[in-house]
């Protein structure tokens, strides 16, 4: 009978998909301990309306803090509030996402509470009262099973590894007050620049089409965009060679020093498959590679490969995907 | 401006790792180590801030075995002023243990800025910087990809999923540095010679009690891979068929 805490991430007044993933992961743990899931949601006035969605995914209680100081991400106030709620709630574990926000927040809270934290977990389970998290390290070449003996145990889960599962619960809303005045934080977000509204983010997209130097120019990325559009649920990524040349922003970079992704389908277009790139995408469920060099290392990790010129193959693939998805 | 940069020596990732006999650590024989890339960008950021301010000091701190001194020397040859080595047998996996030792060293150092790389690829935790900030009760911005500092305040840009945040913060502060902020300079021959004479102090690290423990390490199975469907656009129909019937992703 131990309850599990979930941090429900919101941005710009909307829940993020990772919020439903953390609630789903917390629900699994709570079902194992026979306890409840208590989600924390902070935002500006009106955020309470989002509690329903958390309840639908397994939250028994949604703690809501509405405050103008939470209009943007407010690291100090959010960490203080989450630490207080986790500390006094007697939780067995607290679940975060390994998103930009979760990566920022979870270590602060772990240090405040002096408890253990494992980030970027691909699975978490309770084993005789100890939380075990599987955590890829050494750029995914080694998987560690890490025990967190402290109570609460803090984990953050890798985006896209826990698909949101509908599991309706009461979702009783409890209003909570901030610990310190959120408007008085030392670190302040003065502006949030949304890149491409409505576009799927790499962490959330079930399909990723990633382009490499084999595309030859920034303009040729349009064939990658077209293929992504044909799928309808795809985001566009890139290699460092491409972001270094300024063809795409750094935020699109996948790999050791970029984003870690694990979509259902990853299509590598004109990418050689350097170890630093593989580090970011080797956990994808299905990998397709298109490269003119049949010896390119990317083919060693690809489930399916086509050898040849991307400029010829990708438009043909786009047409075929459109055809296959007709009626969707 | 007095800036501390915390750096780590990390193994070369382009190798096949072997698990040691205890099943819970890596066999490090034959593996080469070097300065973590994110930390190199943090050192570069510190050097540029000092150069811009016209004076100041860049102090590089590294926790680890004796070989960590080589890593510190490298940063001294890039231009850092002095090094502090916090001696341990091996670098713990647990970020809290490391953060406790670093915080103890940094606490009374009088630093205006304390910089970290945002992540090290070996442990892949990415938690040491914000934990140190918390232990020292300092403002903290993580994953910084743009930075301006003047008159005791800073502004930083942070990459989010599909968006960016602009942050403002007062000094002293802790920052963790992302790729994209700068390109790290290579040590010059002159820098390498000068580094040999720069002060490098070594003392025992007072590690915190670890809060997490590696129970087991595994090498994930290699992906089967290697299946070429065909050549050129002619192979597209077969790929579509496989994506529909075998992978079931279309
Ligand atoms: C510290 C460090 C960190 C790094 N971090 C990252 C990272 O996070 N992410 C990352 O991606 N890289 C990273 N790299 C860089 C990495 O080592 C590679 O240089 C990079 O991934 C190569 O990108 P690429 O595959 O686009 O280019 P290339 O290696 O140049 O490969 C281009 C490929 O395109 C193929 N090609 C060319 N023309 C065509 C055509 N017409 N049709 C089909 N195929 C074609 C070629 O056969 C080749 O295989 C890092 C490197 C270092 C040193």
């Amino acid at each position: 009978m131990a309850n599990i805490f979930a941090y429900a991430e919101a941005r710009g007044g909307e829940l993020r998909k990772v919020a439903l993933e953390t609630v789903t992961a917390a629900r699994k743990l709570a079902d194992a301990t026979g306890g409840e899931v208590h989600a924390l949601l902070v935002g500006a006035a009106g955020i309470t309306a989002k509690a329903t969605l958390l309840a639908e995914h397994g939250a028994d209680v949604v703690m809501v803090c509405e405050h103008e100081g939470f209009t943007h991400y407010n690291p100090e106030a959010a960490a203080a509030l989450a630490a207080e709620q986790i500390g006094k709630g007697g939780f067995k574990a607290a679940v975060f996402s390994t998103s930009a926000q979760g990566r920022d927040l979870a270590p602060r809270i772990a240090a405040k509470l002096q408890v253990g934290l494992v980030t970027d977990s691909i699975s978490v389970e309770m084993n005789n009262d100890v939380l075990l998290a599987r955590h890829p390290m050494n750029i995914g070449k080694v998987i560690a099973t890490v025990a967190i003996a402290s109570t609460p145990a803090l984990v953050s889960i890798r985006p896209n590894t826990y698909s949101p599962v509908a599991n309706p619960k009461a979702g009783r809303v409890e209003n909570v007050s901030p610990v310190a005045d959120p408007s008085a934080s030392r670190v302040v977000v003065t502006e949030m620049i949304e890149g491409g509204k409505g576009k799927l983010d790499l962490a959330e997209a079930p399909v990723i089409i990633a382009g490499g130097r084999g595309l030859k120019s920034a303009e040729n990325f349009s064939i990658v965009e077209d293929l992504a559009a044909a799928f309808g649920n795809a985001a566009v990524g890139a290699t460092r060679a491409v972001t270094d040349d300024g063809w795409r922003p750094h935020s699109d970079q996948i790999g050791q020093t970029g984003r870690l992704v694990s979509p259902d389908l990853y299509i590598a277009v004109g990418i050689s498959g350097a170890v630093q790139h593989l580090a970011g995408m080797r956990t994808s469920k299905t990998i397709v590679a298109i490269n003119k060099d049949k010896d390119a290392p990317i083919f060693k990790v690809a489930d399916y490969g086509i050898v040849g010129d991307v400029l010829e193959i990708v438009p043909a693939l786009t047409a075929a995907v459109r055809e296959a998805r007709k009626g969707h | 401006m007095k800036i501390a940069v915390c750096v780590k020596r990390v193994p070369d990732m382009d190798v096949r790792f072997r698990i040691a006999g205890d099943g819970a650590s890596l066999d490090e024989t034959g593996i080469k180590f070097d300065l973590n890339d994110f930390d190199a960008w943090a050192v570069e950021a510190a050097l540029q801030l000092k150069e811009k301010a016209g004076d100041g000091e860049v102090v590089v701190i590294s926790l680890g075995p004796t070989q960590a001194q080589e890593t510190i020397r490298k940063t001294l040859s890039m231009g850092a002023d002095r090094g502090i080595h916090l001696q341990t047998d091996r670098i713990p996996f647990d970020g809290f243990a490391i953060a406790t030792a670093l915080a103890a060293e940094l606490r009374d150092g009088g630093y205006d800025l304390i910089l970290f790389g945002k992540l090290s690829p070996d442990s892949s935790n990415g938690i040491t910087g914000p934990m140190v900030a918390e232990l020292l009760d300092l403002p903290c911005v993580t994953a910084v990809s743009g930075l301006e500092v003047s008159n005791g305040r800073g502004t930083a840009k942070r990459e989010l999923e599909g968006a960016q945040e602009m942050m403002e913060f007062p000094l002293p502060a802790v920052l963790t540095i992302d790729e994209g902020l700068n390109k790290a300079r290579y040590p010059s021959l002159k820098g390498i010679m000068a580094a040999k004479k720069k002060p490098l102090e070594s003392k025992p690290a007072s590690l915190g009690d670890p809060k997490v423990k590696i129970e087991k390490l595994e090498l994930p199975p290699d992906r089967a891979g290697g299946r070429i469907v065909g050549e050129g656009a002619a192979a597209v129909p077969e790929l579509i068929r496989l994506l529909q019937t075998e992978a079931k992703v279309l």
Side-chain angles (χ1 to χ4, degrees), chain B residues 11-40:
Chain B
D12 174 13
M13 291 295 147
D14 203 356
V15 297
R16 193 171 274 276
F17 289 100
R18 289 178 314 268
I19 293 167
D22 66 359
S25 62
L26 289 172
D27 177 356
E28 292 183 349
T29 42
I31 291 184
K32 286 204 286 287
F33 286 77
D34 200 354
L35 172 64
N36 177 20
D37 292 301
F38 286 106
D39 300 347

Side-chain angles (χ1 to χ4, degrees), chain A residues 240-265:
Chain A
R240 174 150 115 174
V242 162
T243 56
D244 264 358
D245 283 352
W247 301 356
R248 303 288 299 188
H250 177 65
S251 51
D252 283 2
Q253 181 176 316
I254 292 166
Q256 182 176 331
T257 52
R259 308 281 301 275
L260 305 176
V261 298
S262 39
D264 297 333
L265 174 62

Side-chain angles (χ1 to χ4, degrees), chain A residues 211-216 238-242 244 250 253-259 269-278 280 290-294 296-298 308-311 313, chain B residues 37 41 179:
Chain A
R213 189 148 40 200
L215 279 155
K216 302 285 194 307
T239 62
R240 174 150 115 174
V242 162
D244 264 358
H250 177 65
Q253 181 176 316
I254 292 166
Q256 182 176 331
T257 52
R259 308 281 301 275
V269 174
I271 291 177
S272 59
V275 57
Q276 296 92 350
H277 185 74
L278 301 184
I290 306 171
N291 194 306
K292 69 174 185 190
D293 172 11
K294 69 171 180 18
I298 190 75
D309 188 349
V310 290
L311 297 176
I313 296 163
Chain B
D37 292 301
W41 296 315
E179 186 175 21

